[in-house]
Short mmCIF file of all heavy atoms in Angstrom, two decimals:
data_model
loop_
_atom_site.label_atom_id
_atom_site.label_comp_id
_atom_site.label_asym_id
_atom_site.label_seq_id
_atom_site.Cartn_x
_atom_site.Cartn_y
_atom_site.Cartn_z
N MET A 28 -42.56 -40.46 -11.11
CA MET A 28 -41.71 -41.46 -11.60
C MET A 28 -41.52 -42.60 -10.66
O MET A 28 -41.41 -42.37 -9.47
CB MET A 28 -40.38 -40.91 -12.01
CG MET A 28 -39.48 -41.84 -12.71
SD MET A 28 -38.04 -40.98 -13.22
CE MET A 28 -37.78 -41.66 -14.88
N ASP A 29 -41.57 -43.90 -11.10
CA ASP A 29 -41.55 -45.02 -10.08
C ASP A 29 -39.96 -45.29 -9.97
O ASP A 29 -39.25 -45.55 -10.88
CB ASP A 29 -42.14 -46.20 -10.81
CG ASP A 29 -42.38 -47.33 -9.91
OD1 ASP A 29 -42.17 -47.22 -8.67
OD2 ASP A 29 -42.62 -48.54 -10.46
N ASN A 30 -39.67 -45.35 -8.66
CA ASN A 30 -38.18 -45.64 -8.37
C ASN A 30 -37.97 -47.06 -7.96
O ASN A 30 -37.02 -47.52 -7.44
CB ASN A 30 -37.80 -44.82 -7.15
CG ASN A 30 -37.68 -43.36 -7.46
OD1 ASN A 30 -37.42 -43.04 -8.69
ND2 ASN A 30 -37.83 -42.49 -6.59
N SER A 31 -38.92 -47.95 -8.37
CA SER A 31 -38.84 -49.49 -8.06
C SER A 31 -37.84 -50.03 -8.87
O SER A 31 -37.46 -49.71 -10.00
CB SER A 31 -40.11 -50.16 -8.32
OG SER A 31 -41.19 -49.65 -7.45
N ILE A 32 -37.12 -51.10 -8.32
CA ILE A 32 -36.09 -51.79 -9.15
C ILE A 32 -36.64 -53.17 -9.53
O ILE A 32 -37.23 -53.88 -8.82
CB ILE A 32 -34.87 -52.07 -8.07
CG1 ILE A 32 -34.41 -50.73 -7.62
CG2 ILE A 32 -33.75 -52.94 -8.83
CD1 ILE A 32 -33.27 -50.99 -6.44
N TYR A 33 -36.40 -53.37 -10.82
CA TYR A 33 -36.90 -54.52 -11.40
C TYR A 33 -35.67 -55.34 -12.04
O TYR A 33 -34.71 -54.71 -12.37
CB TYR A 33 -37.86 -54.29 -12.59
CG TYR A 33 -39.22 -53.83 -12.07
CD1 TYR A 33 -39.41 -52.41 -11.90
CD2 TYR A 33 -40.19 -54.73 -11.81
CE1 TYR A 33 -40.56 -52.01 -11.42
CE2 TYR A 33 -41.32 -54.18 -11.38
CZ TYR A 33 -41.64 -52.89 -11.15
OH TYR A 33 -42.81 -52.43 -10.71
N LYS A 34 -35.72 -56.64 -11.99
CA LYS A 34 -34.66 -57.47 -12.55
C LYS A 34 -35.37 -58.54 -13.46
O LYS A 34 -36.46 -58.84 -13.33
CB LYS A 34 -33.96 -58.18 -11.40
CG LYS A 34 -33.14 -57.20 -10.56
CD LYS A 34 -32.51 -57.87 -9.20
CE LYS A 34 -31.74 -59.10 -9.42
NZ LYS A 34 -31.26 -59.68 -8.18
N VAL A 35 -34.53 -59.29 -14.21
CA VAL A 35 -34.95 -60.34 -15.09
C VAL A 35 -34.45 -61.63 -14.46
O VAL A 35 -33.24 -61.76 -14.20
CB VAL A 35 -34.37 -60.14 -16.55
CG1 VAL A 35 -34.84 -61.36 -17.36
CG2 VAL A 35 -34.94 -58.84 -17.11
N CYS A 36 -35.36 -62.65 -14.18
CA CYS A 36 -34.92 -63.93 -13.74
C CYS A 36 -34.12 -64.70 -14.85
O CYS A 36 -34.52 -64.75 -16.02
CB CYS A 36 -36.18 -64.65 -13.35
SG CYS A 36 -35.82 -66.37 -12.81
N GLU A 37 -33.02 -65.34 -14.35
CA GLU A 37 -32.18 -66.06 -15.38
C GLU A 37 -32.83 -67.31 -15.81
O GLU A 37 -32.41 -67.97 -16.78
CB GLU A 37 -30.81 -66.32 -14.70
CG GLU A 37 -30.74 -67.38 -13.52
CD GLU A 37 -29.41 -67.69 -13.14
OE1 GLU A 37 -28.35 -67.03 -13.48
OE2 GLU A 37 -29.27 -68.44 -12.18
N VAL A 38 -33.88 -67.88 -14.98
CA VAL A 38 -34.42 -69.17 -15.32
C VAL A 38 -35.68 -68.87 -16.28
O VAL A 38 -35.77 -69.45 -17.37
CB VAL A 38 -34.89 -69.89 -14.09
CG1 VAL A 38 -35.55 -71.16 -14.34
CG2 VAL A 38 -33.66 -70.13 -13.22
N CYS A 39 -36.60 -68.04 -15.81
CA CYS A 39 -37.89 -67.98 -16.55
C CYS A 39 -37.89 -66.84 -17.52
O CYS A 39 -38.65 -66.61 -18.37
CB CYS A 39 -39.03 -67.85 -15.57
SG CYS A 39 -39.01 -66.39 -14.49
N GLY A 40 -36.82 -65.92 -17.29
CA GLY A 40 -36.72 -64.64 -18.18
C GLY A 40 -37.76 -63.61 -17.97
O GLY A 40 -37.76 -62.63 -18.75
N GLN A 41 -38.56 -63.64 -16.91
CA GLN A 41 -39.58 -62.61 -16.66
C GLN A 41 -38.97 -61.47 -15.83
O GLN A 41 -38.16 -61.64 -15.07
CB GLN A 41 -40.78 -63.27 -15.95
CG GLN A 41 -41.52 -64.23 -16.79
CD GLN A 41 -42.72 -64.79 -15.85
OE1 GLN A 41 -42.88 -64.38 -14.78
NE2 GLN A 41 -43.48 -65.66 -16.51
N LYS A 42 -39.41 -60.28 -16.18
CA LYS A 42 -39.03 -59.06 -15.44
C LYS A 42 -39.87 -58.88 -14.26
O LYS A 42 -41.18 -58.86 -14.26
CB LYS A 42 -39.26 -57.86 -16.30
CG LYS A 42 -38.82 -56.57 -15.71
CD LYS A 42 -38.89 -55.48 -16.74
CE LYS A 42 -38.36 -54.07 -16.19
NZ LYS A 42 -38.50 -53.04 -17.10
N LYS A 43 -39.40 -58.99 -12.98
CA LYS A 43 -40.08 -58.96 -11.79
C LYS A 43 -39.43 -57.87 -10.85
O LYS A 43 -38.27 -57.62 -10.95
CB LYS A 43 -39.96 -60.29 -11.09
CG LYS A 43 -40.76 -61.39 -11.91
CD LYS A 43 -40.78 -62.67 -11.18
CE LYS A 43 -41.48 -63.77 -12.04
NZ LYS A 43 -41.76 -65.03 -11.32
N HIS A 44 -40.22 -57.49 -9.80
CA HIS A 44 -39.69 -56.55 -8.88
C HIS A 44 -38.73 -57.34 -7.97
O HIS A 44 -38.76 -58.51 -7.81
CB HIS A 44 -40.84 -56.15 -7.92
CG HIS A 44 -40.47 -55.08 -7.02
ND1 HIS A 44 -40.09 -55.20 -5.70
CD2 HIS A 44 -40.61 -53.65 -7.18
CE1 HIS A 44 -39.79 -54.04 -5.15
NE2 HIS A 44 -40.10 -53.13 -6.04
N ILE A 45 -37.79 -56.53 -7.51
CA ILE A 45 -36.60 -57.17 -6.71
C ILE A 45 -37.06 -57.84 -5.40
O ILE A 45 -36.46 -58.82 -4.98
CB ILE A 45 -35.62 -55.97 -6.33
CG1 ILE A 45 -34.31 -56.60 -5.92
CG2 ILE A 45 -36.21 -55.11 -5.16
CD1 ILE A 45 -33.08 -55.71 -5.97
N SER A 46 -38.25 -57.56 -5.01
CA SER A 46 -38.77 -58.27 -3.74
C SER A 46 -39.25 -59.70 -4.09
O SER A 46 -39.43 -60.54 -3.10
CB SER A 46 -39.95 -57.44 -3.14
OG SER A 46 -40.98 -57.52 -3.96
N GLU A 47 -39.45 -60.02 -5.35
CA GLU A 47 -39.76 -61.32 -5.78
C GLU A 47 -38.61 -62.25 -6.02
O GLU A 47 -38.76 -63.36 -6.50
CB GLU A 47 -40.71 -61.20 -6.96
CG GLU A 47 -41.91 -60.55 -6.80
CD GLU A 47 -42.89 -60.51 -8.06
OE1 GLU A 47 -43.01 -61.58 -8.65
OE2 GLU A 47 -43.41 -59.45 -8.29
N PHE A 48 -37.36 -61.75 -5.71
CA PHE A 48 -36.17 -62.50 -6.03
C PHE A 48 -35.70 -63.15 -4.70
O PHE A 48 -35.77 -62.54 -3.64
CB PHE A 48 -35.06 -61.68 -6.67
CG PHE A 48 -35.18 -61.49 -8.14
CD1 PHE A 48 -36.19 -60.61 -8.66
CD2 PHE A 48 -34.58 -62.29 -8.97
CE1 PHE A 48 -36.45 -60.36 -9.97
CE2 PHE A 48 -34.69 -62.14 -10.42
CZ PHE A 48 -35.65 -61.26 -10.85
N SER A 49 -35.05 -64.41 -4.75
CA SER A 49 -34.50 -65.07 -3.73
C SER A 49 -33.26 -64.40 -3.08
O SER A 49 -32.51 -63.76 -3.86
CB SER A 49 -34.19 -66.52 -4.15
OG SER A 49 -33.47 -67.21 -3.23
N LYS A 50 -33.04 -64.48 -1.89
CA LYS A 50 -31.79 -63.89 -1.26
C LYS A 50 -30.69 -64.92 -1.49
O LYS A 50 -29.46 -64.54 -1.55
CB LYS A 50 -32.00 -63.69 0.22
CG LYS A 50 -32.94 -62.43 0.37
CD LYS A 50 -33.17 -62.20 1.83
CE LYS A 50 -34.25 -61.06 1.98
NZ LYS A 50 -34.56 -60.78 3.30
N SER A 51 -30.95 -66.26 -1.41
CA SER A 51 -30.02 -67.25 -1.63
C SER A 51 -29.48 -67.36 -3.11
O SER A 51 -28.29 -67.60 -3.30
CB SER A 51 -30.55 -68.67 -1.25
OG SER A 51 -30.99 -68.62 0.04
N TYR A 52 -30.44 -67.16 -4.05
CA TYR A 52 -29.99 -67.14 -5.44
C TYR A 52 -30.46 -65.77 -6.01
O TYR A 52 -31.51 -65.67 -6.63
CB TYR A 52 -30.73 -68.31 -6.21
CG TYR A 52 -30.49 -69.69 -5.63
CD1 TYR A 52 -31.18 -70.28 -4.72
CD2 TYR A 52 -29.32 -70.25 -6.12
CE1 TYR A 52 -30.96 -71.53 -4.21
CE2 TYR A 52 -29.02 -71.56 -5.63
CZ TYR A 52 -29.85 -72.25 -4.69
OH TYR A 52 -29.51 -73.43 -4.26
N PRO A 53 -29.64 -64.84 -6.00
CA PRO A 53 -30.06 -63.50 -6.28
C PRO A 53 -30.45 -63.29 -7.74
O PRO A 53 -31.05 -62.26 -8.01
CB PRO A 53 -28.77 -62.60 -6.02
CG PRO A 53 -27.77 -63.53 -5.74
CD PRO A 53 -28.16 -64.84 -5.42
N ARG A 54 -30.07 -64.20 -8.67
CA ARG A 54 -30.42 -63.99 -10.03
C ARG A 54 -31.76 -64.83 -10.43
O ARG A 54 -32.03 -64.94 -11.63
CB ARG A 54 -29.22 -64.31 -10.95
CG ARG A 54 -28.15 -63.37 -10.75
CD ARG A 54 -26.86 -63.82 -11.30
NE ARG A 54 -26.94 -63.90 -12.75
CZ ARG A 54 -26.05 -64.60 -13.49
NH1 ARG A 54 -24.95 -64.97 -13.06
NH2 ARG A 54 -26.21 -64.62 -14.86
N ARG A 55 -32.27 -65.44 -9.48
CA ARG A 55 -33.51 -66.34 -9.70
C ARG A 55 -34.63 -65.80 -8.80
O ARG A 55 -34.46 -65.41 -7.68
CB ARG A 55 -33.23 -67.76 -9.35
CG ARG A 55 -32.15 -68.48 -10.12
CD ARG A 55 -31.89 -69.76 -9.68
NE ARG A 55 -30.74 -70.29 -10.36
CZ ARG A 55 -30.37 -71.57 -10.24
NH1 ARG A 55 -30.99 -72.36 -9.48
NH2 ARG A 55 -29.30 -72.10 -10.88
N CYS A 56 -35.80 -65.88 -9.36
CA CYS A 56 -37.05 -65.47 -8.73
C CYS A 56 -37.48 -66.58 -7.69
O CYS A 56 -37.06 -67.70 -7.82
CB CYS A 56 -38.26 -65.04 -9.61
SG CYS A 56 -38.88 -66.52 -10.54
N LYS A 57 -38.18 -66.16 -6.73
CA LYS A 57 -38.60 -67.09 -5.59
C LYS A 57 -39.42 -68.30 -6.28
O LYS A 57 -39.24 -69.43 -5.81
CB LYS A 57 -39.35 -66.35 -4.62
CG LYS A 57 -38.57 -65.44 -3.71
CD LYS A 57 -39.40 -64.69 -2.71
CE LYS A 57 -38.57 -63.72 -1.89
NZ LYS A 57 -39.41 -62.93 -1.01
N ALA A 58 -40.20 -68.05 -7.20
CA ALA A 58 -40.99 -69.01 -7.78
C ALA A 58 -40.17 -70.12 -8.49
O ALA A 58 -40.42 -71.30 -8.36
CB ALA A 58 -41.99 -68.47 -8.76
N CYS A 59 -39.05 -69.79 -9.17
CA CYS A 59 -38.26 -70.65 -9.88
C CYS A 59 -37.39 -71.40 -8.91
O CYS A 59 -37.14 -72.63 -8.99
CB CYS A 59 -37.37 -69.89 -10.82
SG CYS A 59 -38.15 -69.28 -12.31
N VAL A 60 -37.04 -70.84 -7.77
CA VAL A 60 -36.22 -71.40 -6.75
C VAL A 60 -37.10 -72.51 -6.06
O VAL A 60 -36.72 -73.54 -5.80
CB VAL A 60 -35.66 -70.40 -5.74
CG1 VAL A 60 -35.05 -71.09 -4.54
CG2 VAL A 60 -34.60 -69.52 -6.33
N ALA A 61 -38.33 -72.14 -5.74
CA ALA A 61 -39.21 -73.09 -5.12
C ALA A 61 -39.46 -74.35 -6.01
O ALA A 61 -39.49 -75.41 -5.55
CB ALA A 61 -40.54 -72.42 -4.78
N GLU A 62 -39.67 -74.12 -7.28
CA GLU A 62 -39.88 -75.17 -8.24
C GLU A 62 -38.72 -76.10 -8.38
O GLU A 62 -38.79 -77.28 -8.37
CB GLU A 62 -40.28 -74.57 -9.56
CG GLU A 62 -40.67 -75.64 -10.60
CD GLU A 62 -41.12 -75.05 -11.90
OE1 GLU A 62 -41.57 -73.92 -11.92
OE2 GLU A 62 -40.89 -75.67 -13.04
N HIS A 63 -37.55 -75.46 -8.43
CA HIS A 63 -36.25 -76.22 -8.45
C HIS A 63 -36.07 -77.07 -7.23
O HIS A 63 -35.70 -78.24 -7.31
CB HIS A 63 -35.09 -75.31 -8.71
CG HIS A 63 -33.78 -76.00 -8.81
ND1 HIS A 63 -32.91 -76.18 -7.76
CD2 HIS A 63 -33.20 -76.70 -9.79
CE1 HIS A 63 -31.79 -76.91 -8.18
NE2 HIS A 63 -32.05 -77.13 -9.44
N THR A 64 -36.33 -76.44 -6.06
CA THR A 64 -36.14 -77.14 -4.74
C THR A 64 -37.09 -78.35 -4.75
O THR A 64 -36.73 -79.39 -4.25
CB THR A 64 -36.33 -76.25 -3.61
OG1 THR A 64 -35.49 -75.03 -3.78
CG2 THR A 64 -36.22 -76.85 -2.26
N LYS A 65 -38.26 -78.17 -5.00
CA LYS A 65 -39.34 -79.24 -5.09
C LYS A 65 -38.83 -80.46 -5.94
O LYS A 65 -39.04 -81.54 -5.61
CB LYS A 65 -40.71 -78.70 -5.62
CG LYS A 65 -41.81 -79.69 -5.47
CD LYS A 65 -43.08 -79.08 -6.06
CE LYS A 65 -44.23 -80.07 -6.00
NZ LYS A 65 -45.49 -79.53 -6.54
N MET A 66 -38.36 -80.02 -7.17
CA MET A 66 -37.90 -81.04 -8.05
C MET A 66 -36.73 -81.91 -7.53
O MET A 66 -36.68 -83.21 -7.54
CB MET A 66 -37.46 -80.44 -9.38
CG MET A 66 -36.97 -81.47 -10.42
SD MET A 66 -36.60 -80.62 -11.93
CE MET A 66 -35.21 -79.64 -11.54
N VAL A 67 -35.78 -81.18 -6.88
CA VAL A 67 -34.63 -81.91 -6.29
C VAL A 67 -34.97 -82.79 -5.15
O VAL A 67 -34.52 -83.92 -5.02
CB VAL A 67 -33.59 -80.76 -5.79
CG1 VAL A 67 -32.49 -81.39 -4.86
CG2 VAL A 67 -32.96 -80.05 -7.03
N ARG A 68 -35.90 -82.29 -4.26
CA ARG A 68 -36.32 -83.19 -3.22
C ARG A 68 -37.09 -84.38 -3.62
O ARG A 68 -37.03 -85.50 -3.07
CB ARG A 68 -37.32 -82.25 -2.30
CG ARG A 68 -36.48 -81.34 -1.50
CD ARG A 68 -37.36 -80.55 -0.63
NE ARG A 68 -36.49 -79.58 0.25
CZ ARG A 68 -37.08 -78.61 0.95
NH1 ARG A 68 -38.33 -78.30 0.96
NH2 ARG A 68 -36.25 -77.76 1.48
N GLU A 69 -37.91 -84.23 -4.76
CA GLU A 69 -38.54 -85.39 -5.28
C GLU A 69 -37.69 -86.45 -5.77
O GLU A 69 -37.77 -87.67 -5.64
CB GLU A 69 -39.55 -84.99 -6.35
CG GLU A 69 -40.88 -84.50 -5.90
CD GLU A 69 -41.71 -85.52 -5.19
OE1 GLU A 69 -41.83 -86.71 -5.65
OE2 GLU A 69 -42.22 -85.19 -4.14
N ARG A 70 -36.58 -86.00 -6.52
CA ARG A 70 -35.58 -86.87 -7.08
C ARG A 70 -34.90 -87.52 -5.98
O ARG A 70 -34.53 -88.75 -5.96
CB ARG A 70 -34.62 -86.06 -7.86
CG ARG A 70 -35.16 -85.76 -9.23
CD ARG A 70 -33.94 -85.12 -10.02
NE ARG A 70 -34.37 -84.64 -11.31
CZ ARG A 70 -33.76 -83.79 -12.12
NH1 ARG A 70 -32.52 -83.42 -11.74
NH2 ARG A 70 -34.26 -83.46 -13.28
N ALA A 71 -34.48 -86.81 -4.92
CA ALA A 71 -33.88 -87.38 -3.70
C ALA A 71 -34.73 -88.44 -2.99
O ALA A 71 -34.29 -89.48 -2.66
CB ALA A 71 -33.40 -86.41 -2.80
N LYS A 72 -36.00 -88.12 -2.92
CA LYS A 72 -36.88 -89.08 -2.19
C LYS A 72 -36.91 -90.36 -3.01
O LYS A 72 -36.95 -91.45 -2.46
CB LYS A 72 -38.17 -88.41 -2.04
CG LYS A 72 -39.28 -89.27 -1.31
CD LYS A 72 -40.44 -88.49 -0.79
CE LYS A 72 -41.25 -87.93 -2.06
NZ LYS A 72 -42.49 -87.37 -1.58
N HIS A 73 -37.18 -90.26 -4.26
CA HIS A 73 -37.27 -91.48 -5.13
C HIS A 73 -35.97 -92.25 -5.17
O HIS A 73 -35.98 -93.45 -5.21
CB HIS A 73 -37.70 -91.11 -6.45
CG HIS A 73 -39.17 -90.63 -6.56
ND1 HIS A 73 -40.30 -91.40 -6.36
CD2 HIS A 73 -39.78 -89.48 -6.90
CE1 HIS A 73 -41.35 -90.75 -6.41
NE2 HIS A 73 -41.06 -89.54 -6.78
N GLY A 74 -34.86 -91.50 -5.20
CA GLY A 74 -33.59 -92.24 -5.27
C GLY A 74 -33.35 -93.05 -4.01
O GLY A 74 -32.84 -94.11 -4.06
N LYS A 75 -33.73 -92.46 -2.78
CA LYS A 75 -33.58 -93.19 -1.56
C LYS A 75 -34.54 -94.41 -1.52
O LYS A 75 -34.07 -95.52 -1.06
CB LYS A 75 -33.90 -92.26 -0.45
CG LYS A 75 -32.86 -91.22 -0.15
CD LYS A 75 -33.25 -90.33 0.98
CE LYS A 75 -32.19 -89.17 1.18
NZ LYS A 75 -32.64 -88.27 2.37
N ARG A 76 -35.67 -94.20 -1.99
CA ARG A 76 -36.57 -95.46 -2.00
C ARG A 76 -36.06 -96.54 -2.89
O ARG A 76 -36.12 -97.67 -2.55
CB ARG A 76 -37.93 -95.06 -2.51
CG ARG A 76 -38.71 -94.24 -1.45
CD ARG A 76 -40.16 -93.94 -1.99
NE ARG A 76 -40.89 -93.15 -0.99
CZ ARG A 76 -42.00 -92.60 -1.33
NH1 ARG A 76 -42.47 -92.62 -2.40
NH2 ARG A 76 -42.55 -91.84 -0.39
N MET A 77 -35.59 -96.11 -4.12
CA MET A 77 -35.09 -97.15 -4.99
C MET A 77 -33.91 -97.85 -4.39
O MET A 77 -33.84 -99.05 -4.45
CB MET A 77 -34.70 -96.52 -6.30
CG MET A 77 -35.93 -96.05 -7.18
SD MET A 77 -35.63 -95.29 -8.65
CE MET A 77 -34.01 -95.58 -9.17
N TYR A 78 -33.07 -97.13 -3.73
CA TYR A 78 -31.86 -97.80 -3.12
C TYR A 78 -32.24 -98.70 -2.01
O TYR A 78 -31.74 -99.90 -1.92
CB TYR A 78 -30.87 -96.75 -2.68
CG TYR A 78 -29.69 -97.21 -1.95
CD1 TYR A 78 -28.57 -97.89 -2.63
CD2 TYR A 78 -29.60 -97.36 -0.50
CE1 TYR A 78 -27.50 -98.41 -1.99
CE2 TYR A 78 -28.51 -97.85 0.11
CZ TYR A 78 -27.55 -98.46 -0.62
OH TYR A 78 -26.46 -99.01 0.06
N TYR A 79 -33.16 -98.25 -1.19
CA TYR A 79 -33.56 -99.09 -0.10
C TYR A 79 -34.32 -100.38 -0.63
O TYR A 79 -33.91 -101.43 -0.12
CB TYR A 79 -34.66 -98.31 0.74
CG TYR A 79 -35.24 -99.08 1.91
CD1 TYR A 79 -34.53 -99.46 3.04
CD2 TYR A 79 -36.47 -99.65 1.77
CE1 TYR A 79 -35.05 -100.14 4.03
CE2 TYR A 79 -37.08 -100.49 2.76
CZ TYR A 79 -36.34 -100.75 3.93
OH TYR A 79 -36.91 -101.50 4.86
N ASN A 80 -34.99 -100.31 -1.57
CA ASN A 80 -35.80 -101.38 -2.18
C ASN A 80 -34.73 -102.38 -2.80
O ASN A 80 -34.86 -103.64 -2.53
CB ASN A 80 -36.80 -101.03 -3.17
CG ASN A 80 -38.02 -100.45 -2.53
OD1 ASN A 80 -38.28 -100.54 -1.43
ND2 ASN A 80 -38.79 -99.62 -3.40
N GLN A 81 -33.73 -101.91 -3.52
CA GLN A 81 -32.68 -102.75 -4.09
C GLN A 81 -31.96 -103.43 -2.95
O GLN A 81 -31.60 -104.63 -3.03
CB GLN A 81 -31.78 -102.01 -5.02
CG GLN A 81 -32.50 -101.47 -6.28
CD GLN A 81 -31.61 -100.51 -7.04
OE1 GLN A 81 -30.66 -100.16 -6.58
NE2 GLN A 81 -32.14 -100.10 -8.24
N ALA A 82 -31.54 -102.73 -1.91
CA ALA A 82 -30.79 -103.33 -0.86
C ALA A 82 -31.56 -104.33 -0.23
O ALA A 82 -31.07 -105.40 0.16
CB ALA A 82 -30.40 -102.26 0.19
N LYS A 83 -32.83 -104.23 0.08
CA LYS A 83 -33.73 -105.20 0.70
C LYS A 83 -33.88 -106.35 -0.15
O LYS A 83 -33.78 -107.52 0.39
CB LYS A 83 -35.09 -104.42 0.84
CG LYS A 83 -36.14 -105.28 1.78
CD LYS A 83 -37.37 -104.55 1.87
CE LYS A 83 -38.40 -105.37 2.63
NZ LYS A 83 -39.61 -104.68 2.79
N LYS A 84 -33.95 -106.25 -1.38
CA LYS A 84 -34.13 -107.42 -2.27
C LYS A 84 -32.79 -108.17 -2.28
O LYS A 84 -32.80 -109.45 -2.25
CB LYS A 84 -34.41 -107.01 -3.76
CG LYS A 84 -35.80 -106.50 -3.91
CD LYS A 84 -36.09 -106.11 -5.41
CE LYS A 84 -37.49 -105.58 -5.60
NZ LYS A 84 -37.67 -105.04 -6.89
N GLY A 85 -31.64 -107.56 -2.20
CA GLY A 85 -30.31 -108.18 -2.15
C GLY A 85 -30.23 -109.01 -0.80
O GLY A 85 -29.73 -110.18 -0.94
N LYS A 86 -30.66 -108.50 0.18
CA LYS A 86 -30.59 -109.26 1.38
C LYS A 86 -31.44 -110.45 1.50
O LYS A 86 -31.19 -111.49 1.92
CB LYS A 86 -31.01 -108.34 2.70
CG LYS A 86 -30.07 -107.25 3.00
CD LYS A 86 -30.50 -106.37 4.09
CE LYS A 86 -29.50 -105.36 4.44
NZ LYS A 86 -29.98 -104.48 5.53
N GLN A 87 -32.63 -110.39 0.85
CA GLN A 87 -33.56 -111.52 0.86
C GLN A 87 -33.02 -112.62 -0.05
O GLN A 87 -33.02 -113.79 0.30
CB GLN A 87 -34.92 -111.07 0.33
CG GLN A 87 -35.74 -110.28 1.26
CD GLN A 87 -37.08 -109.73 0.61
OE1 GLN A 87 -37.18 -109.83 -0.65
NE2 GLN A 87 -37.89 -109.16 1.34
N ARG A 88 -32.36 -112.28 -1.15
CA ARG A 88 -31.72 -113.30 -2.01
C ARG A 88 -30.58 -114.02 -1.32
O ARG A 88 -30.54 -115.20 -1.42
CB ARG A 88 -31.12 -112.51 -3.29
CG ARG A 88 -31.62 -113.09 -4.56
CD ARG A 88 -31.16 -112.43 -5.78
NE ARG A 88 -31.77 -111.26 -6.07
CZ ARG A 88 -31.34 -110.07 -6.26
NH1 ARG A 88 -30.01 -109.81 -6.15
NH2 ARG A 88 -32.06 -109.11 -6.52
N LYS A 89 -29.78 -113.30 -0.63
CA LYS A 89 -28.69 -113.97 0.13
C LYS A 89 -29.17 -114.84 1.26
O LYS A 89 -28.72 -115.89 1.37
CB LYS A 89 -27.71 -112.82 0.76
CG LYS A 89 -26.96 -112.16 -0.21
CD LYS A 89 -26.09 -111.12 0.38
CE LYS A 89 -25.25 -110.22 -0.64
NZ LYS A 89 -24.49 -109.26 -0.03
N PHE A 90 -30.23 -114.41 1.91
CA PHE A 90 -30.80 -115.30 2.93
C PHE A 90 -31.29 -116.65 2.29
O PHE A 90 -31.16 -117.61 2.86
CB PHE A 90 -31.95 -114.57 3.65
CG PHE A 90 -32.59 -115.47 4.76
CD1 PHE A 90 -31.92 -115.54 6.06
CD2 PHE A 90 -33.78 -115.98 4.51
CE1 PHE A 90 -32.58 -116.30 7.00
CE2 PHE A 90 -34.27 -116.84 5.53
CZ PHE A 90 -33.65 -116.87 6.78
N LYS A 91 -32.02 -116.52 1.18
CA LYS A 91 -32.61 -117.70 0.52
C LYS A 91 -31.45 -118.59 0.09
O LYS A 91 -31.59 -119.84 0.13
CB LYS A 91 -33.49 -117.37 -0.58
CG LYS A 91 -34.76 -116.73 -0.15
CD LYS A 91 -35.59 -116.32 -1.33
CE LYS A 91 -36.91 -115.67 -0.88
NZ LYS A 91 -37.74 -115.23 -2.01
N GLU A 92 -30.34 -118.02 -0.43
CA GLU A 92 -29.26 -118.87 -0.89
C GLU A 92 -28.51 -119.52 0.30
O GLU A 92 -28.05 -120.71 0.11
CB GLU A 92 -28.20 -117.94 -1.58
CG GLU A 92 -28.78 -117.48 -2.99
CD GLU A 92 -27.80 -116.33 -3.55
OE1 GLU A 92 -26.68 -116.15 -2.93
OE2 GLU A 92 -28.05 -115.87 -4.66
N ASN A 93 -28.42 -118.84 1.37
CA ASN A 93 -27.62 -119.47 2.51
C ASN A 93 -28.49 -120.49 3.33
O ASN A 93 -27.91 -121.28 4.03
CB ASN A 93 -27.20 -118.35 3.44
CG ASN A 93 -26.15 -117.51 2.80
OD1 ASN A 93 -25.44 -117.90 2.00
ND2 ASN A 93 -26.06 -116.30 3.22
N PHE A 94 -29.87 -120.27 3.36
CA PHE A 94 -30.74 -121.03 4.08
C PHE A 94 -31.74 -121.71 3.15
O PHE A 94 -32.90 -121.40 3.28
CB PHE A 94 -31.39 -120.33 5.25
CG PHE A 94 -30.35 -119.73 6.32
CD1 PHE A 94 -30.01 -118.38 6.12
CD2 PHE A 94 -29.79 -120.61 7.16
CE1 PHE A 94 -29.02 -117.86 7.00
CE2 PHE A 94 -28.85 -120.08 8.05
CZ PHE A 94 -28.53 -118.75 8.03
N PRO A 95 -31.40 -122.70 2.31
CA PRO A 95 -32.44 -123.33 1.51
C PRO A 95 -33.36 -124.19 2.37
O PRO A 95 -33.08 -124.62 3.45
CB PRO A 95 -31.63 -124.22 0.56
CG PRO A 95 -30.40 -124.48 1.22
CD PRO A 95 -30.11 -123.22 2.22
N LYS A 96 -34.58 -124.37 1.77
CA LYS A 96 -35.46 -125.21 2.59
C LYS A 96 -35.34 -126.69 2.56
O LYS A 96 -34.70 -127.26 1.90
CB LYS A 96 -36.96 -124.84 1.98
CG LYS A 96 -37.44 -123.50 2.19
CD LYS A 96 -38.93 -123.36 1.55
CE LYS A 96 -39.38 -121.96 1.82
NZ LYS A 96 -40.70 -121.73 1.35
#
């Protein structure tokens, strides 16, 4: 008889061995945690770029208004 412990991931719903589960998120498998982390980091990276580009454009506009040719 196999004494292995299996759990069901709350995200993907697959039954996996306990060694395939995250220690930080005990109800999520490592694959789902990795996918979620990647998505969050991509969103954060794009958000920072968008904010930087908008701030840069605002500074250029103010400079042109204050120092016309």
Side-chain angles (χ1 to χ4, degrees):
M28 185 176 221
D29 189 16
N30 291 335
S31 297
I32 300 172
Y33 290 90
K34 292 171 50 176
V35 177
C36 176
E37 72 178 359
V38 178
C39 66
Q41 295 181 359
K42 185 177 179 181
K43 296 184 177 185
H44 191 266
I45 197 164
S46 66
E47 294 182 47
F48 279 81
S49 171
K50 292 180 182 176
S51 301
Y52 300 94
R54 295 171 58 195
R55 299 180 184 182
C56 67
K57 291 178 181 178
C59 289
V60 171
E62 186 176 331
H63 180 262
T64 303
K65 183 179 178 182
M66 182 179 62
V67 168
R68 287 180 180 167
E69 279 295 315
R70 283 184 185 170
K72 183 168 61 170
H73 290 298
K75 288 179 185 177
R76 284 184 184 166
M77 287 175 24
Y78 176 76
Y79 175 75
N80 289 338
Q81 289 172 353
K83 187 176 175 182
K84 287 178 184 176
K86 288 180 183 178
Q87 289 174 347
R88 234 181 276 126
K89 288 179 183 177
F90 181 80
K91 289 179 182 178
E92 290 171 3
N93 294 331
F94 298 100
K96 290 183 179 181

